[in-house]
Amino acid sequence: MKHYLSEANVILFADDTLLFLAAPSLDVLYNKIHNAVSEFLTFSQQNLLTLNFSKTLFMIFSRLSSSVGNDQIMVRGNVIKRVATTRYLGFLIDENLSWKNHSNAIAEKLSRGLGVMRRIKNLVPKKILKMIYFSIFCPYISYGCSIWASNFVTRFKRVQKTSE
């Protein structure tokens, strides 16, 4: 696939494909996105693959608080929508890489689990409670924690407090 894409970096995981591009300005970036998707479509057609445009999105990562630009791109008559947040491999990723949405979602899930544990704490032995804790809380906290919580102590504290 690398030979088909002149400027895009590609990450493949199962049936998910990510194309990464960088540019000095939004105009250049939009041109690169259009070209990369066109090149990817050529690759896909030649290899009897299809691109599901209803699941195809784009996001612009920027240090600026909001990067102005188009909300969609047309490629060969198909619309690709721009999003500010998307889910990828269990992570909620936003265009500023703040991880705020992800940590809030984790805290909400843990809060629900905590509610369940509080309701059953007098009904089951402590050993079972501990087993439930490690099966409900630990996967959410440990999965990708080094990525989403490493530099965001204030956001991680909410998750930490919920799990205690």
Side-chain angles (χ1 to χ4, degrees):
M1 183 182 319
K2 268 185 163 179
H3 304 292
Y4 286 87
L5 302 172
S6 57
E7 296 188 68
N9 295 309
V10 181
I11 295 178
L12 300 170
F13 184 83
D15 65 343
D16 288 332
T17 304
L18 290 176
L19 303 179
F20 282 93
L21 297 153
S25 71
L26 281 176
D27 292 334
V28 174
L29 181 61
Y30 280 106
N31 286 332
K32 284 185 173 187
I33 293 171
H34 188 274
N35 292 339
V37 173
S38 291
E39 292 169 346
F40 185 77
L41 284 171
T42 300
F43 166 82
S44 298
Q45 289 168 347
Q46 290 177 355
N47 291 281
L48 304 175
L49 301 169
T50 57
L51 184 63
N52 186 344
F53 279 96
S54 67
K55 293 182 177 181
T56 302
L57 309 166
F58 78 97
M59 180 181 291
I60 298 176
F61 297 103
S62 174
R63 283 180 258 165
L64 305 173
S65 58
S66 68
S67 51
V68 180
N70 301 333
D71 288 337
Q72 62 186 28
I73 294 176
M74 290 288 287
V75 178
R76 296 185 188 175
N78 296 290
V79 175
I80 301 175
K81 295 180 184 177
R82 180 179 176 182
V83 294
T85 304
T86 191
R87 182 171 294 281
Y88 181 66
L89 300 179
F91 296 104
L92 276 172
I93 302 170
D94 66 83
E95 59 190 4
N96 297 314
L97 294 176
S98 71
W99 302 102
K100 181 179 179 181
N101 294 326
H102 183 75
S103 59
N104 286 342
I106 295 295
E108 281 181 36
K109 288 178 183 182
L110 296 179
S111 182
R112 285 193 297 267
L114 187 60
V116 169
M117 287 189 66
R118 283 187 178 140
R119 285 191 294 274
I120 65 168
K121 72 179 179 183
N122 296 323
L123 304 173
V124 296
K126 286 193 190 277
K127 184 177 180 181
I128 301 294
L129 277 177
K130 194 173 184 180
M131 227 170 46
I132 292 171
Y133 171 83
F134 282 108
S135 64
I136 292 177
F137 288 83
C138 285
Y140 285 113
I141 294 170
S142 61
Y143 178 66
C145 182
S146 59
I147 296 169
W148 65 269
S150 61
N151 294 320
F152 305 97
V153 175
T154 56
R155 292 194 180 96
F156 188 64
K157 279 185 181 175
R158 179 172 179 219
V159 173
Q160 222 173 8
K161 284 180 185 178
T162 304
S163 68
E164 291 174 348

PDB file of all heavy atoms in Angstrom, residues 21-49:
ATOM      1  N   LEU A  21      -1.324  12.637   7.697  1.00  0.00           N
ATOM      2  CA  LEU A  21      -0.704  13.634   6.833  1.00  0.00           C
ATOM      3  C   LEU A  21      -0.324  14.851   7.656  1.00  0.00           C
ATOM      4  O   LEU A  21      -0.969  15.153   8.665  1.00  0.00           O
ATOM      5  CB  LEU A  21      -1.682  14.055   5.729  1.00  0.00           C
ATOM      6  CG  LEU A  21      -2.104  12.954   4.770  1.00  0.00           C
ATOM      7  CD1 LEU A  21      -3.467  13.241   4.194  1.00  0.00           C
ATOM      8  CD2 LEU A  21      -1.074  12.805   3.690  1.00  0.00           C
ATOM      9  N   ALA A  22       0.687  15.549   7.224  1.00  0.00           N
ATOM     10  CA  ALA A  22       1.080  16.806   7.870  1.00  0.00           C
ATOM     11  C   ALA A  22       1.296  17.856   6.784  1.00  0.00           C
ATOM     12  O   ALA A  22       1.709  17.524   5.675  1.00  0.00           O
ATOM     13  CB  ALA A  22       2.356  16.615   8.672  1.00  0.00           C
ATOM     14  N   ALA A  23       0.993  19.096   7.140  1.00  0.00           N
ATOM     15  CA  ALA A  23       1.155  20.182   6.172  1.00  0.00           C
ATOM     16  C   ALA A  23       1.335  21.500   6.907  1.00  0.00           C
ATOM     17  O   ALA A  23       0.872  21.651   8.037  1.00  0.00           O
ATOM     18  CB  ALA A  23      -0.055  20.246   5.253  1.00  0.00           C
ATOM     19  N   PRO A  24       1.990  22.468   6.270  1.00  0.00           N
ATOM     20  CA  PRO A  24       2.218  23.760   6.917  1.00  0.00           C
ATOM     21  C   PRO A  24       0.985  24.662   6.971  1.00  0.00           C
ATOM     22  O   PRO A  24       0.930  25.601   7.744  1.00  0.00           O
ATOM     23  CB  PRO A  24       3.315  24.401   6.054  1.00  0.00           C
ATOM     24  CG  PRO A  24       3.166  23.758   4.713  1.00  0.00           C
ATOM     25  CD  PRO A  24       2.666  22.364   4.984  1.00  0.00           C
ATOM     26  N   SER A  25      -0.035  24.363   6.143  1.00  0.00           N
ATOM     27  CA  SER A  25      -1.253  25.179   6.151  1.00  0.00           C
ATOM     28  C   SER A  25      -2.460  24.293   5.871  1.00  0.00           C
ATOM     29  O   SER A  25      -2.331  23.172   5.361  1.00  0.00           O
ATOM     30  CB  SER A  25      -1.173  26.278   5.091  1.00  0.00           C
ATOM     31  OG  SER A  25      -1.269  25.708   3.796  1.00  0.00           O
ATOM     32  N   LEU A  26      -3.643  24.806   6.197  1.00  0.00           N
ATOM     33  CA  LEU A  26      -4.865  24.034   5.974  1.00  0.00           C
ATOM     34  C   LEU A  26      -5.123  23.785   4.492  1.00  0.00           C
ATOM     35  O   LEU A  26      -5.574  22.705   4.110  1.00  0.00           O
ATOM     36  CB  LEU A  26      -6.064  24.741   6.598  1.00  0.00           C
ATOM     37  CG  LEU A  26      -6.227  24.578   8.100  1.00  0.00           C
ATOM     38  CD1 LEU A  26      -7.392  25.415   8.611  1.00  0.00           C
ATOM     39  CD2 LEU A  26      -6.436  23.127   8.474  1.00  0.00           C
ATOM     40  N   ASP A  27      -4.850  24.771   3.650  1.00  0.00           N
ATOM     41  CA  ASP A  27      -5.065  24.585   2.213  1.00  0.00           C
ATOM     42  C   ASP A  27      -4.227  23.433   1.679  1.00  0.00           C
ATOM     43  O   ASP A  27      -4.724  22.576   0.943  1.00  0.00           O
ATOM     44  CB  ASP A  27      -4.731  25.871   1.440  1.00  0.00           C
ATOM     45  CG  ASP A  27      -5.716  26.990   1.727  1.00  0.00           C
ATOM     46  OD1 ASP A  27      -6.874  26.672   2.091  1.00  0.00           O
ATOM     47  OD2 ASP A  27      -5.343  28.163   1.577  1.00  0.00           O
ATOM     48  N   VAL A  28      -2.972  23.404   2.052  1.00  0.00           N
ATOM     49  CA  VAL A  28      -2.083  22.327   1.619  1.00  0.00           C
ATOM     50  C   VAL A  28      -2.561  21.002   2.198  1.00  0.00           C
ATOM     51  O   VAL A  28      -2.568  19.981   1.509  1.00  0.00           O
ATOM     52  CB  VAL A  28      -0.620  22.627   2.034  1.00  0.00           C
ATOM     53  CG1 VAL A  28       0.293  21.446   1.732  1.00  0.00           C
ATOM     54  CG2 VAL A  28      -0.115  23.881   1.341  1.00  0.00           C
ATOM     55  N   LEU A  29      -2.987  21.016   3.461  1.00  0.00           N
ATOM     56  CA  LEU A  29      -3.465  19.797   4.106  1.00  0.00           C
ATOM     57  C   LEU A  29      -4.689  19.239   3.398  1.00  0.00           C
ATOM     58  O   LEU A  29      -4.770  18.037   3.124  1.00  0.00           O
ATOM     59  CB  LEU A  29      -3.778  20.045   5.584  1.00  0.00           C
ATOM     60  CG  LEU A  29      -4.256  18.835   6.368  1.00  0.00           C
ATOM     61  CD1 LEU A  29      -3.190  17.735   6.380  1.00  0.00           C
ATOM     62  CD2 LEU A  29      -4.629  19.229   7.778  1.00  0.00           C
ATOM     63  N   TYR A  30      -5.665  20.095   3.061  1.00  0.00           N
ATOM     64  CA  TYR A  30      -6.866  19.620   2.380  1.00  0.00           C
ATOM     65  C   TYR A  30      -6.526  19.016   1.019  1.00  0.00           C
ATOM     66  O   TYR A  30      -7.098  17.999   0.619  1.00  0.00           O
ATOM     67  CB  TYR A  30      -7.907  20.730   2.254  1.00  0.00           C
ATOM     68  CG  TYR A  30      -8.693  20.925   3.524  1.00  0.00           C
ATOM     69  CD1 TYR A  30      -8.465  22.017   4.348  1.00  0.00           C
ATOM     70  CD2 TYR A  30      -9.663  20.006   3.909  1.00  0.00           C
ATOM     71  CE1 TYR A  30      -9.182  22.188   5.518  1.00  0.00           C
ATOM     72  CE2 TYR A  30     -10.390  20.170   5.074  1.00  0.00           C
ATOM     73  CZ  TYR A  30     -10.142  21.255   5.876  1.00  0.00           C
ATOM     74  OH  TYR A  30     -10.846  21.415   7.043  1.00  0.00           O
ATOM     75  N   ASN A  31      -5.581  19.612   0.308  1.00  0.00           N
ATOM     76  CA  ASN A  31      -5.144  19.042  -0.970  1.00  0.00           C
ATOM     77  C   ASN A  31      -4.496  17.676  -0.754  1.00  0.00           C
ATOM     78  O   ASN A  31      -4.750  16.731  -1.508  1.00  0.00           O
ATOM     79  CB  ASN A  31      -4.169  19.980  -1.692  1.00  0.00           C
ATOM     80  CG  ASN A  31      -4.873  21.179  -2.296  1.00  0.00           C
ATOM     81  OD1 ASN A  31      -6.051  21.103  -2.644  1.00  0.00           O
ATOM     82  ND2 ASN A  31      -4.164  22.279  -2.406  1.00  0.00           N
ATOM     83  N   LYS A  32      -3.678  17.565   0.289  1.00  0.00           N
ATOM     84  CA  LYS A  32      -3.023  16.288   0.585  1.00  0.00           C
ATOM     85  C   LYS A  32      -4.050  15.219   0.973  1.00  0.00           C
ATOM     86  O   LYS A  32      -3.922  14.062   0.569  1.00  0.00           O
ATOM     87  CB  LYS A  32      -1.992  16.452   1.704  1.00  0.00           C
ATOM     88  CG  LYS A  32      -0.704  17.119   1.266  1.00  0.00           C
ATOM     89  CD  LYS A  32       0.286  17.124   2.425  1.00  0.00           C
ATOM     90  CE  LYS A  32       1.645  17.610   2.003  1.00  0.00           C
ATOM     91  NZ  LYS A  32       2.632  17.448   3.079  1.00  0.00           N
ATOM     92  N   ILE A  33      -5.049  15.611   1.753  1.00  0.00           N
ATOM     93  CA  ILE A  33      -6.092  14.658   2.146  1.00  0.00           C
ATOM     94  C   ILE A  33      -6.820  14.153   0.900  1.00  0.00           C
ATOM     95  O   ILE A  33      -7.018  12.952   0.724  1.00  0.00           O
ATOM     96  CB  ILE A  33      -7.097  15.288   3.143  1.00  0.00           C
ATOM     97  CG1 ILE A  33      -6.426  15.584   4.488  1.00  0.00           C
ATOM     98  CG2 ILE A  33      -8.305  14.368   3.344  1.00  0.00           C
ATOM     99  CD1 ILE A  33      -7.291  16.408   5.434  1.00  0.00           C
ATOM    100  N   HIS A  34      -7.213  15.087   0.047  1.00  0.00           N
ATOM    101  CA  HIS A  34      -7.928  14.720  -1.183  1.00  0.00           C
ATOM    102  C   HIS A  34      -7.085  13.757  -2.023  1.00  0.00           C
ATOM    103  O   HIS A  34      -7.585  12.720  -2.486  1.00  0.00           O
ATOM    104  CB  HIS A  34      -8.277  15.977  -1.969  1.00  0.00           C
ATOM    105  CG  HIS A  34      -9.164  15.711  -3.128  1.00  0.00           C
ATOM    106  ND1 HIS A  34      -8.689  15.336  -4.358  1.00  0.00           N
ATOM    107  CD2 HIS A  34     -10.522  15.736  -3.231  1.00  0.00           C
ATOM    108  CE1 HIS A  34      -9.696  15.141  -5.176  1.00  0.00           C
ATOM    109  NE2 HIS A  34     -10.823  15.387  -4.520  1.00  0.00           N
ATOM    110  N   ASN A  35      -5.816  14.073  -2.209  1.00  0.00           N
ATOM    111  CA  ASN A  35      -4.935  13.216  -3.007  1.00  0.00           C
ATOM    112  C   ASN A  35      -4.736  11.849  -2.351  1.00  0.00           C
ATOM    113  O   ASN A  35      -4.767  10.820  -3.034  1.00  0.00           O
ATOM    114  CB  ASN A  35      -3.577  13.888  -3.228  1.00  0.00           C
ATOM    115  CG  ASN A  35      -3.684  15.103  -4.118  1.00  0.00           C
ATOM    116  OD1 ASN A  35      -4.636  15.241  -4.879  1.00  0.00           O
ATOM    117  ND2 ASN A  35      -2.721  16.000  -4.002  1.00  0.00           N
ATOM    118  N   ALA A  36      -4.535  11.834  -1.035  1.00  0.00           N
ATOM    119  CA  ALA A  36      -4.298  10.569  -0.333  1.00  0.00           C
ATOM    120  C   ALA A  36      -5.518   9.657  -0.416  1.00  0.00           C
ATOM    121  O   ALA A  36      -5.381   8.454  -0.656  1.00  0.00           O
ATOM    122  CB  ALA A  36      -3.922  10.830   1.125  1.00  0.00           C
ATOM    123  N   VAL A  37      -6.706  10.223  -0.233  1.00  0.00           N
ATOM    124  CA  VAL A  37      -7.915   9.399  -0.307  1.00  0.00           C
ATOM    125  C   VAL A  37      -8.120   8.899  -1.743  1.00  0.00           C
ATOM    126  O   VAL A  37      -8.495   7.746  -1.955  1.00  0.00           O
ATOM    127  CB  VAL A  37      -9.157  10.161   0.218  1.00  0.00           C
ATOM    128  CG1 VAL A  37     -10.428   9.365  -0.015  1.00  0.00           C
ATOM    129  CG2 VAL A  37      -8.987  10.479   1.694  1.00  0.00           C
ATOM    130  N   SER A  38      -7.847   9.739  -2.720  1.00  0.00           N
ATOM    131  CA  SER A  38      -7.942   9.301  -4.119  1.00  0.00           C
ATOM    132  C   SER A  38      -6.969   8.161  -4.400  1.00  0.00           C
ATOM    133  O   SER A  38      -7.331   7.164  -5.042  1.00  0.00           O
ATOM    134  CB  SER A  38      -7.654  10.463  -5.076  1.00  0.00           C
ATOM    135  OG  SER A  38      -8.688  11.404  -5.025  1.00  0.00           O
ATOM    136  N   GLU A  39      -5.747   8.299  -3.925  1.00  0.00           N
ATOM    137  CA  GLU A  39      -4.746   7.233  -4.100  1.00  0.00           C
ATOM    138  C   GLU A  39      -5.177   5.960  -3.375  1.00  0.00           C
ATOM    139  O   GLU A  39      -5.012   4.848  -3.892  1.00  0.00           O
ATOM    140  CB  GLU A  39      -3.376   7.701  -3.593  1.00  0.00           C
ATOM    141  CG  GLU A  39      -2.753   8.785  -4.430  1.00  0.00           C
ATOM    142  CD  GLU A  39      -1.529   9.420  -3.774  1.00  0.00           C
ATOM    143  OE1 GLU A  39      -1.292   9.216  -2.566  1.00  0.00           O
ATOM    144  OE2 GLU A  39      -0.808  10.139  -4.483  1.00  0.00           O
ATOM    145  N   PHE A  40      -5.743   6.119  -2.185  1.00  0.00           N
ATOM    146  CA  PHE A  40      -6.214   4.954  -1.433  1.00  0.00           C
ATOM    147  C   PHE A  40      -7.371   4.270  -2.158  1.00  0.00           C
ATOM    148  O   PHE A  40      -7.456   3.044  -2.185  1.00  0.00           O
ATOM    149  CB  PHE A  40      -6.624   5.361  -0.014  1.00  0.00           C
ATOM    150  CG  PHE A  40      -7.007   4.199   0.844  1.00  0.00           C
ATOM    151  CD1 PHE A  40      -6.031   3.385   1.400  1.00  0.00           C
ATOM    152  CD2 PHE A  40      -8.336   3.898   1.080  1.00  0.00           C
ATOM    153  CE1 PHE A  40      -6.380   2.289   2.181  1.00  0.00           C
ATOM    154  CE2 PHE A  40      -8.695   2.808   1.857  1.00  0.00           C
ATOM    155  CZ  PHE A  40      -7.702   2.005   2.407  1.00  0.00           C
ATOM    156  N   LEU A  41      -8.264   5.060  -2.752  1.00  0.00           N
ATOM    157  CA  LEU A  41      -9.371   4.483  -3.516  1.00  0.00           C
ATOM    158  C   LEU A  41      -8.856   3.699  -4.715  1.00  0.00           C
ATOM    159  O   LEU A  41      -9.370   2.629  -5.040  1.00  0.00           O
ATOM    160  CB  LEU A  41     -10.342   5.576  -3.965  1.00  0.00           C
ATOM    161  CG  LEU A  41     -11.269   6.112  -2.892  1.00  0.00           C
ATOM    162  CD1 LEU A  41     -12.036   7.328  -3.392  1.00  0.00           C
ATOM    163  CD2 LEU A  41     -12.231   5.039  -2.431  1.00  0.00           C
ATOM    164  N   THR A  42      -7.833   4.217  -5.377  1.00  0.00           N
ATOM    165  CA  THR A  42      -7.220   3.502  -6.504  1.00  0.00           C
ATOM    166  C   THR A  42      -6.662   2.164  -6.027  1.00  0.00           C
ATOM    167  O   THR A  42      -6.910   1.124  -6.639  1.00  0.00           O
ATOM    168  CB  THR A  42      -6.103   4.351  -7.145  1.00  0.00           C
ATOM    169  OG1 THR A  42      -6.684   5.569  -7.623  1.00  0.00           O
ATOM    170  CG2 THR A  42      -5.426   3.613  -8.284  1.00  0.00           C
ATOM    171  N   PHE A  43      -5.926   2.192  -4.925  1.00  0.00           N
ATOM    172  CA  PHE A  43      -5.385   0.956  -4.338  1.00  0.00           C
ATOM    173  C   PHE A  43      -6.519  -0.023  -4.019  1.00  0.00           C
ATOM    174  O   PHE A  43      -6.445  -1.206  -4.326  1.00  0.00           O
ATOM    175  CB  PHE A  43      -4.587   1.280  -3.077  1.00  0.00           C
ATOM    176  CG  PHE A  43      -4.276   0.067  -2.237  1.00  0.00           C
ATOM    177  CD1 PHE A  43      -3.206  -0.756  -2.561  1.00  0.00           C
ATOM    178  CD2 PHE A  43      -5.070  -0.257  -1.145  1.00  0.00           C
ATOM    179  CE1 PHE A  43      -2.937  -1.886  -1.796  1.00  0.00           C
ATOM    180  CE2 PHE A  43      -4.804  -1.383  -0.382  1.00  0.00           C
ATOM    181  CZ  PHE A  43      -3.731  -2.204  -0.715  1.00  0.00           C
ATOM    182  N   SER A  44      -7.574   0.494  -3.373  1.00  0.00           N
ATOM    183  CA  SER A  44      -8.694  -0.352  -2.971  1.00  0.00           C
ATOM    184  C   SER A  44      -9.363  -1.002  -4.173  1.00  0.00           C
ATOM    185  O   SER A  44      -9.646  -2.200  -4.167  1.00  0.00           O
ATOM    186  CB  SER A  44      -9.727   0.468  -2.192  1.00  0.00           C
ATOM    187  OG  SER A  44      -9.163   0.981  -1.024  1.00  0.00           O
ATOM    188  N   GLN A  45      -9.627  -0.222  -5.211  1.00  0.00           N
ATOM    189  CA  GLN A  45     -10.286  -0.762  -6.404  1.00  0.00           C
ATOM    190  C   GLN A  45      -9.416  -1.818  -7.082  1.00  0.00           C
ATOM    191  O   GLN A  45      -9.919  -2.853  -7.509  1.00  0.00           O
ATOM    192  CB  GLN A  45     -10.620   0.370  -7.375  1.00  0.00           C
ATOM    193  CG  GLN A  45     -11.743   1.248  -6.865  1.00  0.00           C
ATOM    194  CD  GLN A  45     -11.891   2.527  -7.657  1.00  0.00           C
ATOM    195  OE1 GLN A  45     -11.041   2.915  -8.437  1.00  0.00           O
ATOM    196  NE2 GLN A  45     -13.008   3.213  -7.425  1.00  0.00           N
ATOM    197  N   GLN A  46      -8.125  -1.574  -7.156  1.00  0.00           N
ATOM    198  CA  GLN A  46      -7.226  -2.532  -7.802  1.00  0.00           C
ATOM    199  C   GLN A  46      -7.091  -3.824  -7.005  1.00  0.00           C
ATOM    200  O   GLN A  46      -6.738  -4.857  -7.556  1.00  0.00           O
ATOM    201  CB  GLN A  46      -5.849  -1.907  -8.023  1.00  0.00           C
ATOM    202  CG  GLN A  46      -5.867  -0.844  -9.086  1.00  0.00           C
ATOM    203  CD  GLN A  46      -4.519  -0.164  -9.261  1.00  0.00           C
ATOM    204  OE1 GLN A  46      -3.569  -0.421  -8.518  1.00  0.00           O
ATOM    205  NE2 GLN A  46      -4.433   0.715 -10.244  1.00  0.00           N
ATOM    206  N   ASN A  47      -7.387  -3.764  -5.713  1.00  0.00           N
ATOM    207  CA  ASN A  47      -7.287  -4.948  -4.855  1.00  0.00           C
ATOM    208  C   ASN A  47      -8.660  -5.469  -4.417  1.00  0.00           C
ATOM    209  O   ASN A  47      -8.769  -6.214  -3.446  1.00  0.00           O
ATOM    210  CB  ASN A  47      -6.414  -4.637  -3.641  1.00  0.00           C
ATOM    211  CG  ASN A  47      -4.972  -4.458  -4.040  1.00  0.00           C
ATOM    212  OD1 ASN A  47      -4.276  -5.438  -4.253  1.00  0.00           O
ATOM    213  ND2 ASN A  47      -4.530  -3.218  -4.188  1.00  0.00           N
ATOM    214  N   LEU A  48      -9.689  -5.043  -5.157  1.00  0.00           N
ATOM    215  CA  LEU A  48     -11.070  -5.498  -4.929  1.00  0.00           C
ATOM    216  C   LEU A  48     -11.543  -5.243  -3.498  1.00  0.00           C
ATOM    217  O   LEU A  48     -12.241  -6.048  -2.894  1.00  0.00           O
ATOM    218  CB  LEU A  48     -11.221  -6.975  -5.292  1.00  0.00           C
ATOM    219  CG  LEU A  48     -10.823  -7.348  -6.728  1.00  0.00           C
ATOM    220  CD1 LEU A  48     -10.893  -8.845  -6.918  1.00  0.00           C
ATOM    221  CD2 LEU A  48     -11.688  -6.617  -7.743  1.00  0.00           C
ATOM    222  N   LEU A  49     -11.163  -4.099  -2.957  1.00  0.00           N
ATOM    223  CA  LEU A  49     -11.603  -3.664  -1.631  1.00  0.00           C
ATOM    224  C   LEU A  49     -12.543  -2.479  -1.793  1.00  0.00           C
ATOM    225  O   LEU A  49     -12.505  -1.779  -2.807  1.00  0.00           O
ATOM    226  CB  LEU A  49     -10.401  -3.264  -0.773  1.00  0.00           C
ATOM    227  CG  LEU A  49      -9.340  -4.337  -0.543  1.00  0.00           C
ATOM    228  CD1 LEU A  49      -8.099  -3.726   0.098  1.00  0.00           C
ATOM    229  CD2 LEU A  49      -9.901  -5.453   0.324  1.00  0.00           C
TER     230      LEU A  49
END
